[in-house]
Amino acid sequence: MLDIFLRTLPFFAIIGLGYWAGRSRFFSEEATANLTKFVFYFPLSAMIFRFAANLSVAEIFDPRLILGYLLGTLAVYLIATVIAALRGLDMQTAAVEAQCAAIGNVGFLGLPMMVLLFGAASIGPMMLVLSVDLVVFSSLIVILINAGRGSGLGFSTLKLVGRGLLQNPMILSICAGLIWSALALPIPAPANAFLELLGDAATPGALFAIGASLASKSAERIQIASWLSFAKLVLHPALVALCVLVLIPVDPYAAGVAIAAAALPVAGNVYMLAQHYGVAPHRASAAILLSTTLSIVTLPLVIAWVTTFTLP
């Protein structure tokens, strides 16, 4: 446990440094937004493309892992939705709360951290987790919010979903990398060096951007944020573990990576979606801030358990 904590501590230390920079106004909100955009479109895309281009589709595609992770995530999504409905919330707000409970910071925090902790073999399972989150649940929240506003599943809603998927650089990077791999094309040495150099900026840049963005998040609605943080940090990995270890058993290594990924704190893009649609941005903000803070302790605990019981 101590070893895992010490290995994850540098990640959270960079997040803390970014938080200080944002909180002290050394880094303005505009600077944070620009840094986030840079990391999202360039270093992170380069890193994901390079990872995917060096893997075969067979190394990544695992139907049982997809189904297990999807069912575990859908279970916590439904639990959060039911509890929101019992509290009398409308469909749009319930969708935002469910998104907080189910979607973790896989791209910015999870991918680089799992590669460090579990090795390069974790890239395949992490790509699957990221793809499920982006394709299924990022689409689902758009559909639910529009349905709650009376738009239903019409052409305009499907157009929004399709545009969101086609404009997401992480999805495009994964697809481009897999196509490159399927064509068995070698990456020329200068191009590989370029991708590696640019991709190396993804981890520190993303972590710093996470911290700086947290500085502008509010700690309002602490009771709701506490419930959503519990759902994300405890219920989500527990339900994914139940699915990938018991209901649909998969390779222990891949199962361990998926469980650890499920233990990541709430993703920042949940707040961006909530703010964009004007639906409960403050509770999403509070959930991101609280879950990221608590994950300093809870994430190493889950990873330590995974390492002890599910990995060879």
Side-chain angles (χ1 to χ4, degrees):
M1 171 60 200
L2 180 60
D3 177 60
I4 297 294
F5 176 75
L6 292 176
R7 291 172 70 187
T8 58
L9 191 59
F11 288 84
F12 291 107
I14 297 176
I15 292 175
L17 182 63
Y19 181 83
W20 168 82
R23 197 71 178 175
S24 65
R25 303 297 180 186
F26 181 81
F27 227 66
S28 67
E29 288 191 29
E30 183 181 5
T32 300
N34 289 332
L35 175 61
T36 302
K37 187 174 182 179
F38 165 73
V39 172
F40 190 55
Y41 281 94
F42 298 102
L44 192 60
S45 296
M47 181 178 72
I48 290 174
F49 173 81
R50 183 168 168 268
F51 283 163
N54 286 289
L55 292 173
S56 66
V57 174
E59 289 178 284
I60 296 179
F61 188 68
D62 184 344
R64 294 179 66 84
L65 181 61
I66 293 173
L67 184 58
Y69 178 78
L70 178 60
L71 288 178
T73 305
L74 188 59
V76 75
Y77 201 98
L78 290 174
I79 289 171
T81 301
V82 169
I83 290 178
L86 291 174
R87 287 165 33 226
L89 299 182
D90 57 40
M91 184 184 291
Q92 301 99 299
T93 306
V96 170
E97 288 200 359
Q99 200 80 356
C100 288
I103 304 304
N105 207 330
V106 177
F108 272 42
L109 176 60
L111 190 57
M113 179 181 283
M114 300 310 162
V115 171
L116 175 69
L117 295 176
F118 293 102
S122 67
I123 295 170
M126 288 299 293
M127 291 284 190
L128 285 185
V129 168
L130 184 59
S131 298
V132 170
D133 284 352
L134 292 173
V135 175
V136 178
F137 293 99
S138 291
S139 302
L140 184 58
I141 188 174
V142 175
I143 292 170
L144 291 175
I145 288 176
N146 280 279
R149 291 177 173 176
S151 300
L153 194 59
F155 176 75
S156 59
T157 300
L158 293 176
K159 184 179 178 181
L160 280 173
V161 171
R163 183 187 301 164
L165 294 175
L166 292 174
Q167 291 179 346
N168 191 306
M170 287 193 283
I171 292 178
L172 295 177
S173 299
I174 292 172
C175 293
L178 290 177
I179 291 172
W180 194 280
S181 173
L183 294 174
L185 297 173
I187 300 179
N192 192 63
F194 165 77
L195 291 170
E196 185 174 8
L197 184 62
L198 183 59
D200 284 346
T203 300
L207 296 174
F208 191 93
I210 290 171
S213 65
L214 288 176
S216 63
K217 300 289 185 289
S218 68
E220 301 174 23
R221 304 180 182 274
I222 195 67
Q223 289 183 323
I224 298 172
S226 298
W227 149 241
L228 295 176
S229 296
F230 172 77
K232 184 68 201 70
L233 301 176
V234 179
L235 283 185
H236 190 199
L239 289 168
V240 169
L242 175 64
C243 290
V244 299
L245 294 177
V246 180
L247 300 180
I248 311 171
V250 300
D251 172 72
Y253 179 88
V257 173
I259 295 166
L264 291 163
V266 182
N269 64 2
V270 178
Y271 172 76
M272 288 188 282
L273 282 167
Q275 188 178 49
H276 174 74
Y277 286 102
V279 180
H282 294 299
R283 72 186 65 201
S285 170
I288 293 168
L289 179 60
L290 186 59
S291 66
T292 303
T293 303
L294 294 175
S295 69
I296 298 174
V297 175
T298 61
L299 184 56
L301 282 172
V302 172
I303 293 174
W305 175 76
V306 160
T307 303
T308 303
F309 296 104
T310 68
L311 299 183

